[in-house]
Amino acid sequence: MRYTGPPRPTRATGPGRRTLPALLAAAALLAVTVPGATAAPAPAGAPASAPAALTGAELAASWTAPLSTRDRYVVDADGDRFKLKSGNWAGAQGTYEGSGDVGDPANHQADQMSHNIPLGLDRTPIDRILADFHALGLNSIRLPFANALVHDTTPVPDAAVAANPQLRGKTPLQILDAVVAELTDDGFAVILNNHTTSYRFCCALDGNERWNSGQSTRQWIDDWVFLAKRYKDNQRVVGADLRNEVRRDTWDDPNWGWGDDHDLNQAYEQAGNEILQADPDLLIVMEGINWQGIPTDLTPHGRPTLTPVATLSNTLIHSDKLVYAAHFYGYTGPNHSGATGMGETTDPRYEDLTPEQLVKVVDDQALFVTRPGQHFTAPVWISEFGAGGRGDLDAKERDWFTRFTDILVRNDSDFAIWPLVGWTGTDGRPQDSWALISYGRTGERLSLLEPGDWRSADWTKLVGAPARAGAIPWAPRWNMLNLDHRDYDVSATMLAKPDWSPGNRKGNCPDTQRLVGLGRGDSRGLCTDAGRPAKGSGAWTVVTDERYVTGGDWASGYDKLQCPDRSFAVGYSVRNNAMAALLCAPAATALPTTGRTLWFDRGDNRPATGGSNAGDWAPGHYKGQCADHEYVAGVASTWKWLHYGVPDALLCRPLV
């Protein structure tokens, strides 16, 4: 989320200039159209190029819930591409800016007091709002909310829902229920977004910096599980966007993989897997780190976004449910927080980059994740971007918006623009020039599709761009196991069972996958479903000695953990980083018992093609990996020669 109100004396000038960096610096100093759809008539005054709009019934008929992923694409229940063409309907995350009378609209973002419900319900009937969403060519809505909303039992004032009297007397959560029902009944896919903890408007030093700012990680997860169960019967609620713009607070950075209570990678996996246990149909959306460091030219700082995913990706118990997300605004940059004045650095903003530089940095920070066949491969949803469309023209921002939407078109990217709804003032001008649709007090509408908004050409280009459509074929997956700090159990089968290797750190592949690789000395592993061997119905075997070694001594002088014949490795455990046990699952059919010994004690030994060959899932350590058509039947290690019991070789056997 970004500050979208008019300039104020206490804020950086210009639309969209954030307050976060200035506060951080001060703190540091002080301490495509759906086939077969029929276009609805364009709204009055819309340009000839307005996107084809589906009615609610047409949109609902165009896709089948729930959604999942295949390779880099989101697909519906029929396996057809469902490109997320989304907008952010803000308001339920709160609009209060943190000072002055909370009841005074002047103390709210863009002087818009949402009463902690989606904006516009005081001015326009919800069916008209949804019709305006359809006219924009949207098929999905990102719906931000605050954790405070989950626990708020106070009904909103009648004035907050004046244009929707059926909502009078309801709490913010009950109004969210009603909005979700209306959206999904009208064919939209809804992705809930945990935007803030309190109703304080994001994104400065506002108490909303991390998922556990102002609340515990346990409470954050419990709120998500509560909502997952609440909407479980509505399959058009398709996703849980876990947290918005995680960033530094006054003193501390979030991190990606340190294993502490600021570890976003770890928090996402814990939350995502508990949500999927409550509702296995939901997409789990993980946004990268939005900001680390103190923004001065003398201190380290930057926007890691999704870059850390290249060497430490996420694995869920349902591996076809992960979507990554990133945010881009022209006034921010790869190392620029977006501030002007105090807290501003000399780093270039995205709008300052050349076309070639912008393409490269957007790929480096986000779109690389869509490369096929890697441990990190997943859809990437650009879940926030935008620009001011009316009023004073910022030429650099306009140029950036055109170039950025060109990048989204070329990459066939999923997207969600910020924000959809705002207000117009008494002068008929938008209070938030970034909103795509603004409503006056008596319901009059000013839309991006009406004359005078320069964004309309770029928007219609984006929503109408050629895109991959139709059936997306199944593709194999590779997923990491990360035992750096803790157990890494992403097997639904094993989560339901007692600890299978007490006192040791354990990694279990998702139930649809098998173990295919190990790192030497860092306890990381790699899983895959390539070849798709089915598991049998028998018991899984924990191997701690050489009793199952058959077919000769395939690693002479080494300790060997080998699965029983007709089974393959699906997990392992370590003590420190030494091999402790191998977990083996029975195969549904007989497996070959001939194979090869793959050594990786002196360097990487990985397939030249396939098998996540371009992704480093154990950086700084040798990696051993069987070929895509093979299974891990055993692991060899030794305590001799100062090898410390870490894996040195794999027994790779063919699947057929």
Side-chain angles (χ1 to χ4, degrees):
M1 178 191 281
R2 38 159 307 283
Y3 172 66
T4 53
R8 295 180 179 175
T10 57
R11 292 188 172 86
T13 58
R17 306 305 187 207
R18 292 178 184 250
T19 61
L20 168 63
L23 291 171
L24 286 175
L29 292 172
L30 294 172
V32 176
T33 306
V34 178
T38 303
S49 58
L54 303 181
T55 66
E58 289 167 339
L59 179 57
S62 71
W63 66 285
T64 306
L67 301 182
S68 56
T69 70
R70 291 184 181 177
D71 198 57
R72 59 151 291 184
Y73 299 104
V74 176
V75 298
D76 73 359
D78 297 323
D80 293 330
R81 169 83 184 282
F82 186 86
K83 182 174 181 176
L84 295 172
K85 300 181 180 181
S86 321
N88 285 269
W89 190 3
Q93 82 286 347
T95 52
Y96 177 56
E97 293 191 303
S99 63
D101 180 7
V102 70
D104 184 350
N107 297 319
H108 290 253
Q109 181 266 334
D111 298 341
Q112 300 174 147
M113 186 164 61
S114 71
H115 293 284
N116 312 316
I117 61 176
L119 278 163
L121 298 176
D122 61 327
R123 299 171 173 232
T124 309
I126 192 169
D127 58 346
R128 181 181 172 189
I129 295 175
L130 301 195
D132 291 339
F133 291 172
H134 284 296
L136 290 170
L138 302 173
N139 62 15
S140 44
I141 302 296
R142 183 178 186 243
L143 200 57
F145 71 90
N147 291 99
L149 176 147
V150 177
H151 307 279
D152 191 345
T153 59
T154 304
V156 302
D158 289 352
V161 291
N164 292 274
Q166 73 277 15
L167 301 179
R168 288 177 181 167
K170 295 184 180 296
T171 67
L173 178 58
Q174 291 169 333
I175 291 174
L176 188 72
D177 292 340
V179 167
V180 166
E182 292 283 350
L183 283 167
T184 55
D185 285 350
D186 221 34
F188 292 102
V190 171
I191 298 177
L192 301 171
N193 161 241
N194 178 222
H195 213 78
T196 52
T197 303
S198 71
Y199 287 135
R200 173 84 180 269
F201 186 75
C202 168
C203 292
L205 291 177
D206 50 20
N208 296 308
E209 297 88 357
R210 294 188 307 275
W211 64 97
N212 54 5
S213 295
Q215 62 187 353
S216 66
T217 296
R218 182 70 264 157
Q219 183 62 64
W220 171 67
I221 294 175
D222 286 347
D223 286 352
W224 263 123
V225 170
F226 168 82
L227 291 174
K229 291 179 178 178
R230 190 176 187 89
Y231 299 122
K232 183 176 182 179
D233 292 337
N234 185 346
Q235 289 196 316
R236 291 192 188 272
V237 178
V238 299
D241 184 351
L242 297 180
R243 188 70 178 187
N244 183 73
E245 295 191 6
V246 173
R247 57 200 184 275
R248 181 186 175 91
D249 63 15
T250 305
W251 305 112
D252 298 300
D253 285 328
N255 67 76
W256 194 264
W258 291 11
D260 61 12
D261 64 356
H262 291 181
D263 185 346
L264 182 59
N265 173 279
Q266 178 175 283
Y268 275 164
E269 284 172 351
Q270 182 183 355
N273 284 323
E274 291 197 34
I275 292 166
L276 288 173
Q277 288 173 298
D279 183 355
D281 288 334
L282 288 174
L283 295 175
I284 303 298
V285 181
M286 302 182 182
E287 183 185 330
I289 295 176
N290 193 66
W291 186 260
Q292 287 177 322
I294 300 172
T296 73
D297 286 329
L298 300 177
T299 52
H301 57 272
R303 301 185 69 239
T305 322
L306 293 175
T307 303
V309 172
T311 54
L312 182 56
S313 57
N314 300 84
T315 304
L316 296 169
I317 58 174
H318 301 298
S319 60
D320 62 348
K321 292 297 182 179
L322 174 61
V323 175
Y324 285 112
H327 294 177
F328 291 95
Y329 291 103
Y331 62 88
T332 60
N335 293 289
H336 201 304
S337 61
T340 57
M342 186 179 184
E344 184 173 11
T345 64
T346 57
D347 305 288
R349 306 172 192 268
Y350 292 116
E351 64 187 23
D352 297 325
L353 302 179
T354 67
E356 296 78 12
Q357 289 171 330
L358 183 62
V359 168
K360 183 178 187 307
V361 78
V362 172
D363 184 73
D364 289 346
Q365 291 193 291
L367 296 183
F368 77 90
V369 175
T370 63
R371 294 173 193 163
Q374 308 307 315
H375 69 86
F376 51 71
T377 302
V380 171
W381 186 33
I382 306 302
S383 57
E384 282 190 29
F385 72 102
R390 296 180 186 269
D392 294 336
L393 178 64
D394 184 330
K396 291 182 72 172
E397 186 172 67
R398 178 172 181 171
D399 177 61
W400 169 83
F401 189 80
T402 297
R403 291 190 287 128
F404 185 72
T405 51
D406 284 344
I407 291 172
L408 299 183
V409 168
R410 286 197 299 271
N411 286 276
D412 193 9
S413 297
D414 301 88
F415 59 84
I417 197 165
W418 179 276
L420 284 176
V421 177
W423 292 357
T424 52
T426 55
D427 60 359
R429 300 176 65 181
Q431 293 177 212
D432 180 351
S433 68
W434 290 55
L436 270 64
I437 308 165
S438 298
Y439 297 107
R441 288 189 176 276
T442 57
E444 61 273 19
R445 181 197 65 200
L446 185 61
S447 168
L448 168 145
L449 299 178
E450 294 165 8
D453 194 316
W454 64 264
R455 299 170 298 178
S456 62
D458 290 318
W459 177 253
T460 54
K461 167 194 70 182
L462 180 59
V463 295
R468 177 79 178 264
I472 303 297
W474 179 88
R477 299 177 184 274
W478 288 267
N479 289 103
M480 284 181 56
L481 297 179
N482 167 26
L483 279 64
D484 290 0
H485 307 289
R486 60 187 174 94
D487 286 357
Y488 202 99
D489 191 349
V490 287
S491 161
T493 297
M494 298 310 294
L495 283 169
K497 295 181 180 296
D499 188 339
W500 60 270
S501 187
N504 302 312
R505 301 197 313 281
K506 293 161 287 295
N508 303 322
C509 293
D511 284 345
T512 56
Q513 300 185 5
R514 69 185 185 280
L515 191 67
V516 72
L518 288 174
R520 185 178 187 271
D522 72 339
S523 72
R524 291 195 183 180
L526 187 69
C527 305
T528 190
D529 55 8
R532 307 173 81 172
K535 292 185 173 73
S537 58
W540 294 15
T541 305
V542 177
V543 179
T544 59
D545 54 35
E546 297 190 357
R547 73 183 66 186
Y548 299 109
V549 174
T550 60
D553 189 348
W554 51 272
S556 179
Y558 283 73
D559 301 320
K560 291 169 284 291
L561 301 176
Q562 184 173 330
C563 293
D565 291 348
R566 197 171 173 169
S567 64
F568 45 76
V570 293
Y572 61 101
S573 68
V574 295
R575 183 177 296 272
N576 295 322
N577 288 320
M579 288 298 300
L582 198 61
L583 181 66
C584 307
T589 59
L591 295 171
T593 56
T594 58
R596 65 188 178 107
T597 303
L598 184 146
W599 293 95
F600 57 104
D601 56 330
R602 299 182 182 180
D604 279 4
N605 196 345
R606 304 167 64 196
T609 59
S612 193
N613 62 301
D616 192 345
W617 43 271
H621 295 267
Y622 299 150
K623 291 164 284 292
Q625 183 178 331
C626 297
D628 299 350
H629 66 279
E630 295 177 322
Y631 68 97
V632 172
V635 181
S637 61
T638 186
W639 287 89
K640 301 175 185 177
W641 316 300
L642 300 180
H643 284 209
Y644 302 107
V646 301
D648 283 326
L650 301 177
L651 176 59
C652 301
R653 289 176 168 175
L655 289 169
V656 293

